[in-house]
Amino acid sequence: MRRDPQQKSPLALTFRGTVLDVLDQRLLPGTYRMIRCRTHRQVAECIRGMAVRGAPAIGCAAAFGLALAAQERRFPSRRELLAYLQKAAQTLRATRPTAVNLAWAVQRILRVAKEPVSVSVLQRAVIREAERLFAEDQAANRRLGDYGATLLSPNNVIMTYCNTGSLATAGYGTALGVVRSAFRQGKVAKVLVCETRPYLQGARLTAWELRLERIPCELITDNMAAFIMTQEHVDAVIVGADRVAANGDVANKIGTYALAILAKVHQVPFYVAAPTSTLDPQIASGAEIPIEERPAQEVTSLQGVSIAPPRMPARHPAFDVTPASYIAALVTERGIAYPPYGGSITQLLSSGRPSEPLKEAPALIGASV
Ligand code: MRU
């Protein structure tokens, strides 16, 4: 099992130049199996089929997919290599539409592939860029985790949704990265893990990661969140994001919006943690974010067992949009943005580089709510 050296959770992706090993998250926590990919099509299948999931992780997987594509055949000229990469990019981009990290990562690799150099130099450059992107995501998560921890106080109870940990990223995690950093600082009494129907990312993956790290946690079904907020003090809800629009609206796992409404009603601060690769300034508001519709069987069955009458019609929008007005702060590796997000997101994106080390106290961008 390949682990992040600074944490116990295993890595979702392990790249070794000519192969990409994908940890099959569909089987967790019961079975630990790696899928070995040698082609970009195999990587695309892993993304589409949810063997690898989580916005930053699928971005990294797509980047490695292009690194494999660059070596899949002999390319007589630079032009042919570029054409092949562009086709592979299309295949990878078409796998899942909501998380912008995927399109962002593909774009970044294609930019490198346009350099006017020889085929072999270009192949090495594409591989290096994919490795760099992966390393940068890990570093960004550690930084945003430390920024996010400044929002918490000793012995806080935190509620979280879906899986935003090591498994959903290149390592460490976004919302779960905040939990990891805060736990090390004695700020986490307990994490309330929402199970996250229908795919159970909370129950299967987040609970597993937290238990591996011995972070105190309790599993609840999604419909318990409101009651729990009336029964015990929840200090913060922290979630990740798949795409953040220019106005601060956030697309994340289906059910996030319901949790944000509950948090508002019960006056619990609702925080979103995401690297800047998840921000999409091209999109004005959440209304423009494409929402993936997944197969209805994922709703009518649970772990392969049918739980509804035969041929029961069902819907499965995989994400929803939480309006910016519900979000108390947006934690990124460049600092924390507060409402109004139109201004603070622009300011975040125009300041610094994502891979700069954390040198000083967090920059508080915009006014606190
Ligand atoms: O369908 P998934 O499992 O890919 O959805 C994952 C989420 O919605 C996460 O909350 C999001 O990608 C942030 S992960 C750091």
Side-chain angles (χ1 to χ4, degrees):
M1 184 190 299
R2 182 99 195 279
R3 293 181 197 274
D4 181 329
Q6 290 181 47
Q7 62 178 70
K8 295 197 177 68
S9 293
L11 295 173
L13 303 167
T14 307
F15 181 67
R16 289 194 192 83
T18 53
V19 294
L20 175 68
D21 284 334
V22 174
L23 172 58
D24 191 346
Q25 298 188 31
R26 295 167 298 194
L27 306 178
L28 291 174
T31 303
Y32 189 91
R33 193 189 76 181
M34 304 300 286
I35 301 172
R36 178 146 292 189
C37 300
R38 295 181 194 279
T39 69
H40 74 276
R41 286 189 193 286
Q42 290 171 317
V43 177
E45 215 26 69
C46 284
I47 299 173
R48 192 177 300 110
M50 302 277 287
V52 58
R53 30 67 48 200
I58 61 176
C60 293
F64 287 134
L66 288 176
L68 297 180
Q71 308 168 75
E72 273 166 30
R73 48 177 79 165
R74 283 173 58 82
F75 298 100
S77 72
R78 221 190 105 242
R79 206 164 50 86
E80 274 149 289
L81 169 57
L82 183 57
Y84 191 73
L85 286 176
Q86 279 165 334
K87 262 191 77 190
Q90 254 175 25
T91 305
L92 289 159
R93 254 195 307 252
T95 51
R96 297 194 74 191
T98 303
V100 74
N101 305 62
L102 204 160
W104 170 85
V106 164
Q107 198 50 39
R108 190 167 141 175
I109 302 292
L110 285 183
R111 206 176 307 133
V112 167
K114 287 182 182 146
E115 298 285 319
V117 288
S118 70
V119 167
S120 61
V121 171
L122 215 54
Q123 285 168 318
R124 279 200 300 277
V126 164
I127 295 168
R128 252 201 325 273
E129 187 67 0
E131 289 172 332
R132 196 175 297 137
L133 192 144
F134 185 78
E136 281 179 12
D137 184 63
Q138 267 196 15
N141 293 336
R142 289 208 157 74
R143 266 197 314 278
L144 75 83
D146 290 350
Y147 279 130
T150 66
L151 295 167
L152 302 171
S153 311
N155 290 319
N156 275 184
V157 173
I158 298 161
M159 190 176 278
T160 192
Y161 200 71
C162 196
N163 172 263
T164 60
S166 182
L167 295 168
T169 62
Y172 203 70
T174 57
L176 227 52
V178 174
V179 168
R180 283 195 160 96
S181 292
F183 180 68
R184 282 180 198 146
Q185 298 168 20
K187 290 181 171 176
V188 179
K190 179 171 73 176
V191 183
L192 291 162
V193 180
C194 297
E195 70 169 345
T196 320
R197 273 281 288 151
Y199 223 79
L200 305 180
Q201 289 94 331
R204 296 187 302 106
L205 310 176
T206 300
W208 188 58
E209 284 199 42
L210 290 171
R211 298 281 291 171
L212 281 175
E213 304 254 338
R214 297 188 193 284
I215 298 176
C217 54
E218 252 169 28
L219 180 63
I220 59 169
T221 60
D222 304 331
N223 52 4
M224 292 175 190
F227 179 68
I228 299 273
M229 284 181 188
T230 67
Q231 297 295 298
E232 55 183 287
H233 189 78
V234 177
D235 295 283
V237 176
I238 312 180
V239 301
D242 286 80
R243 193 185 296 233
V244 182
N247 70 345
D249 291 350
V250 166
N252 191 48
K253 182 49 55 195
I254 189 77
T256 303
Y257 179 30
L259 203 54
I261 294 170
L262 295 181
K264 189 158 202 140
V265 168
H266 293 95
Q267 297 179 325
V268 178
F270 186 87
Y271 300 127
V272 174
T276 47
S277 55
T278 306
L279 308 187
D280 187 355
Q282 316 293 347
I283 282 212
S285 80
E288 293 173 39
I289 299 177
I291 300 295
E292 177 183 8
E293 280 279 341
R294 292 196 58 86
Q297 302 95 279
E298 291 177 357
V299 171
T300 55
S301 67
L302 207 50
Q303 309 255 271
V305 178
S306 178
I307 55 165
R311 296 176 300 283
M312 180 68 195
R315 280 279 316 277
H316 185 188
F319 300 93
D320 61 24
V321 175
T322 300
S325 57
Y326 288 80
I327 299 163
L330 171 64
V331 183
T332 77
E333 79 281 15
R334 296 193 192 183
I336 302 175
Y338 292 101
Y341 292 107
S344 56
I345 286 177
T346 310
Q347 210 179 321
L348 266 185
L349 288 174
S350 54
S351 66
R353 273 174 44 81
S355 52
E356 274 172 15
L358 182 62
K359 293 191 230 85
E360 55 204 26
L364 300 184
I365 295 168
S368 180
V369 279

